[in-house]
Amino acid sequence: MESLTDILQYFIQNLINAAQRGSFYAVISIGYSMVYGVLMLFNFAHGDIFMVGTYIGFGIATLFLAIFAGLLPAPLIFLSTVVVTMFLASWIGVFVEVAGYRPLRQAPRASAAITGLMIGIIFETGILILLGAKRLSFPPLMESVTYNIGGVYFTNVKVMIIIISLLLMLALHGFIQKTKWGMAMRAMSYDFLAVPLMGVSINIIAPLTFAVGAGLASVAGILYGQAYPILDPYMGVIIGWKAFVAAILGGRGSIKGAALAGYLLGFIEIFVATIFPSTLRDLIAYSIILIILTFRPRGFFGMEHSTKLRL
Amino acid sequence: MRKIALLTAAALCVAMILTPAAFSARKTIIKIGINAPLTGDIPKVGEGSKYAAMLWLEDIEKMGGLEVGGKKYEVDLIIEDNESKAESAVKANTKMITQDDVLAIIGPQSSKQAVPAGEVANKYKTVMISPWSTNPNTTMDRPFVFRGCFLDPFQGPVVANFITEEFGSTKAAVLYDVASDYPKGLAEVFKEAWEKKHGAGSVVAYESFTTKDTDFSSQLTKIVKSGAEVLFTPQYYNEVPLIVQQAKDLGWKGPIVGSDSWGSAETVELCGDACYGLFFSSHYAAAGAKGATKAFIDRYEKTYGYIPDDVAALTWDALQLAQKAIQDAGKITGRVEKDRKAVRDALAKIKDFNGITGKMTFTEEGDPIKCAVIVKINDQGKYEFYKSSCP
């Protein structure tokens, strides 16, 4: 009934939609995996760190647009917004580690998990008190242009989101594989008891890990603000949960796995909604993930032994 | 010495027993509860309700109290936040009825909270007027629950008629939140009305999402592909900008039509020029208002700095209705259960009440018969009266 080009066009359209959605899950879920790799705990405040990062990005973007609009080219404003936001947001990560998790490093893992949830609630209500319950609209950092190639619609913003996310993940990969700090982080994830004896302080590596995770999340926040420009204090909750699912699916502690699973999650969500009635989207999407995890509980790239350790 | 101490103690006891009685004999305060979403998903709606109520209280205080049966009573507003959650709305109603002894409750605004909260009000036999809830279940089989606006089943056909006349479309798409009472109810009614008009299968795409979703790309891709000529989306102001923007990005060229939930002042603020030129059905339009409606709009704008949205106007009308019912009841006995019943009976009898959102008469279910307005978002982003549609 339908021609092949129609189906192909429809498929590619959804592929682009999924790549955008997946990019957010991927970049955010990396934050979960990194922290798990080093400290072997899931930072449940990460979704809210993403939210705070988005608000910081909103503040910086508004400020820079007010000062530099017309003076500097748009890409430069965008770049400086990203750099400044990343810098500020990484301090949020450091703060969470130092104030929230460090005092509980010897405590049972459950205490740390609960602390994460508490920090999340503090951030949500903090923003609520600070800025009020009014929704904010993220200013566009570049003019959106819609392209139509053979019936497939996409905007320059979408393309930018996908490319920047990939670049960020490549940069992170380089950082972890090529630098001394990255090596220390990798070493810590192999054995966090022995490595401190070699002179690598956990009190430096742990905050660094949180800072990198928060920095990444804040860039995701700026990109999120470009794609879905409505900010509210609870925006990090659902996306945080879903990114957490991606981190588990990718294999605890595996950054490569988290990125891959993030994209996979985006694809599953979009294509389930495409094929089945959209009402059933999350039900079917997360049932699929449950089935994958039943047969492969350690996720795609998780280490064999990690399933034996406590959460 | 002991005798004096004993006497003093006895005197104190007597005083303590007498004091509350003395107070209550001297003064009966009429308490009106406001159940509004001051925080949560739709805080702007809560703000509008609160501000309208404060203007009303100002009027009452200017008159030196509310006059009932020739006697002036002090009025107290109890404003409770329902956080835009059903549980909290139920809690707020229970608290106001059982602890604060309110005479009547105004709110909650959205059906998500008004449907469960109405259950509580009816159970405790307390008058509740929801100014903004359009879901039939809010008042159904609940003699104590009323509303200030028309119903979803009425808005659905109005929008379907309007789209048919205005755009001449025969194929429509619907995108709605399946987890929220109001959009879900309205989407169903619209679908039914549309298919009655244009035949089965004329709603070519009927897509949903759940509350807090921000990505509608797969649903909208389906809608664009379905060949629909018009998109109807009965969503709230925090979702409308995202839907409109994403639809345009995915190549949607047809009109997008909404319902009264678009009417918040923030829709255009968040959406920008992407929303200019779109239509929605509503209870009132600020631009082009006359008479008492204009007086209210001017006063609200002067006090709070922006033009009131429909929630504020409907809350105002609901409070006027409550005021009239209390006055019609004839007297305040101070026994709150009895007074509540009297207010309920008076409210049900109100005929041709001239509100700022139109003339109202209650049906047996406690739903007013009134007209709907089709609003156009004009090129300055203002809500403009486009045409009126009566049942």
Side-chain angles (χ1 to χ4, degrees), chain B residues 174-188:
Chain B
V174 180
L175 177 64
Y176 68 100
D177 179 356
V178 73
S180 186
D181 275 346
Y182 166 84
K184 187 169 173 282
L186 193 43
E188 280 163 8

Side-chain angles (χ1 to χ4, degrees), chain B residues 345-359:
Chain B
D345 293 342
L347 188 56
K349 279 198 203 97
I350 290 178
K351 284 233 153 34
D352 291 334
F353 173 79
N354 257 321
I356 58 172
T357 59
K359 206 176 248 189

Side-chain angles (χ1 to χ4, degrees), chain A residues 199-262:
Chain A
V200 181
S201 170
I202 185 123
N203 284 344
I204 290 174
I205 298 303
L208 177 70
T209 313
F210 272 83
V212 173
L216 280 179
S218 73
V219 181
I222 295 176
L223 298 176
Y224 193 86
Q226 299 303 300
Y228 318 107
I230 296 198
L231 274 61
D232 85 283
Y234 300 100
M235 62 188 280
V237 177
I238 302 259
I239 199 161
W241 288 347
K242 291 186 171 172
F244 170 65
V245 171
I248 296 280
L249 188 64
R252 299 167 198 194
S254 165
I255 290 168
K256 188 170 57 178
L260 201 71

